[in-house]
Amino acid sequence: MPFIPIPNIAPEKISLDLLSKKNVEASVLRLDKVHPVISGNKWFKLRYYFEDAIRQNKKTIVTFGGAWSNHIVATAAASKEIGINSLGIIRGEETVDLSPTLRQAKEFGMELIFISREDYRRKKIPIQLNESDHYIINEGGYGVKGAEGAATILDAVDFQSYTHICCAVGTGTMIAGLTNRTATLQKTIGISVLKNNVSLNGKIRELLINEEKSFQIIHDYHFGGYAKHTVELITSMNEFYRQTNIPSDFVYTGKLFYGVIDLIRNNFFLSGSKLLVIHSGGLQGNASLKEGKLIF
Ligand SMILES: *Cc1c(COP(=O)(O)O)cnc(C)c1O
């Protein structure tokens, strides 16, 4: 390891009037730049699963996701790069036109099996899965190995100098890994992109090595729920791009940047705070938006 080299990316300090007014510093770690497809946090979360699958001589990686899943396409691309088969169990019936995400996953050689939302929720997996050959990765890469991989996001960064690490939260795997790696006095702040995800804190705790470590999930910036968006969100993504030159996606990082700025505005962070904001990638998901909404 690492199979897929991770370029050294230095945090970019952003300058906004609000930041100087509140005496808060913020730097963005642009993981969207690590790989064109296995973007953002995904390779970090996947790397130890792949390592384990190869150690166990498994033939095929099996994982789960929806039609726009960053995790699905990242798993497909990583499997191809590493030379292992991949199989995606996709939520919902197959449509005539595949989403660009699924088309791309297919191009990377992933076999797709569509199951109804009902079966997906009940985790009713088609019987043709042959357990001995398959290496199963949970939806979104949730699990201990995912968190261990996510912790390595901080390997290339002088992260000790920040007071807070901020990130978007789906399954909670990334924030659990980051929390495991940070120093005792640092705090991780997660912006949940799902609506009322009440089980999230428990799911994150399950992955923590040290229960005392401090993380906080903010549930106020989901904009209607997972993959939902409003005009206000799109406007703020465009505005953020205009001010910082940083593109974001409407499912995760757009909500993250909106949330962090709003928290700063509302004095959530004390004067003198130094934030490291993780840009976790996911820009491919913007392809599901109508053209012309985003300026980048
Ligand atoms: C998958 C993903 C996340 C969520 O990571 P979790 O570990 O599931 O919380 C955040 N941002 C982006 C861009 C993602 O693709």
Side-chain angles (χ1 to χ4, degrees), residues 127-186:
I127 38 156
Q128 63 258 46
L129 288 190
N130 171 358
E131 297 279 338
S132 68
D133 268 8
H134 289 122
Y135 187 85
I136 298 189
I137 301 178
N138 287 333
E139 179 177 40
Y142 176 83
V144 171
K145 286 197 185 331
E148 281 170 4
T152 66
I153 288 173
L154 294 175
D155 280 357
V157 186
D158 177 21
F159 67 89
Q160 308 265 7
S161 63
Y162 298 93
T163 55
H164 299 80
I165 316 279
C166 308
C167 67
V169 177
T171 63
T173 310
M174 170 168 56
I175 195 168
L178 297 174
T179 306
N180 283 335
R181 182 59 59 90
T182 50
T184 320
L185 290 177
Q186 291 180 302

Side-chain angles (χ1 to χ4, degrees), residues 39-42 45 69-71 139-142 146 150 167-176 193 200 226 249 251-253 278-283:
S39 142
N41 64 10
K42 294 299 182 268
K45 290 203 294 179
S69 167
N70 296 329
H71 168 72
E139 179 177 40
Y142 176 83
C167 67
V169 177
T171 63
T173 310
M174 170 168 56
I175 195 168
V193 303
L200 185 57
Y226 182 71
D249 76 292
V251 182
Y252 293 100
T253 55
I278 310 291
H279 190 317
S280 41
L283 298 175

Side-chain angles (χ1 to χ4, degrees), residues 46-64:
L46 288 171
R47 57 197 297 188
Y48 294 134
Y49 290 117
F50 274 85
E51 193 178 67
D52 195 35
I54 286 161
R55 196 187 302 120
Q56 292 186 42
N57 260 322
K58 299 287 185 180
K59 301 276 181 293
T60 304
I61 301 284
V62 182
T63 195
F64 307 83

